């Protein structure tokens, strides 16, 4: 089993507003990436558990929303590990867009 991919994204929105902005965000992000399909996006308070599929491979993880940052952890199957660095950058960029104060 490989080490999980971790992404931490700082924000200044507070937990409630950050959670509000992120709800449904995974499904919206998948619309921008045709190879990504969301199998599950389930919220429990400030934590979202998810399962996604890309290139026929399943990955699962969770997002925890804190007062000043969002922590994403996802375990990628070996085939998708080759794309971990690109995935990390894309997640960080998309997260920054969602969590930037407006």
């Amino acid at each position: 089993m490989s080490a999980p991919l971790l992404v931490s994204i700082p924000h200044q929105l507070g937990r409630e507003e950050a959670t509000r902005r992120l709800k449904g965000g995974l499904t919206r992000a998948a619309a921008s990436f045709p190879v990504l399909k969301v199998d599950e996006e389930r919220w429990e308070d400030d934590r979202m558990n998810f399962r996604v599929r890309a290139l026929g491979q399943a990955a699962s993880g969770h997002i925890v929303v804190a007062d000043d940052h969002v922590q994403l952890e996802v375990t990628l199957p070996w085939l998708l590990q080759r794309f971990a660095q690109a995935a990390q950058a894309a997640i960080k960029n998309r997260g920054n867009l969602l969590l930037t104060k407006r």
Side-chain angles (χ1 to χ4, degrees):
M1 176 104 121
S2 66
L5 174 68
L6 301 171
V7 179
S8 184
I9 304 168
H11 67 80
Q12 299 175 344
L13 300 171
R15 186 183 316 242
E16 186 177 309
E17 176 63 12
T19 300
R20 185 190 70 74
R21 290 187 185 193
L22 290 171
K23 286 194 175 180
L26 182 58
T27 302
R28 288 190 310 271
S32 301
F33 298 99
V35 297
L36 183 65
K37 179 184 180 305
V38 178
D39 290 336
E40 177 185 16
E41 182 176 341
R42 183 175 35 89
W43 282 89
E44 297 171 3
D45 298 317
D46 300 322
R47 178 186 171 107
M48 178 184 62
N49 296 306
F50 64 87
R51 281 193 333 251
V52 294
R53 192 170 298 282
L55 303 173
Q57 300 292 304
S60 61
H62 63 270
I63 295 173
V64 177
V65 182
D67 291 330
D68 62 350
H69 72 283
V70 171
Q71 181 77 33
L72 175 133
E73 181 176 321
V74 61
T75 303
L76 299 173
W78 69 270
L79 183 63
L80 294 180
Q81 288 174 11
R82 306 182 87 208
F83 305 102
Q85 195 170 18
Q88 188 173 31
I91 291 165
K92 202 163 190 88
N93 287 339
R94 178 66 70 160
N96 282 328
L97 287 173
L98 283 171
L99 298 172
T100 299
K101 262 192 170 177
R102 303 175 244 200

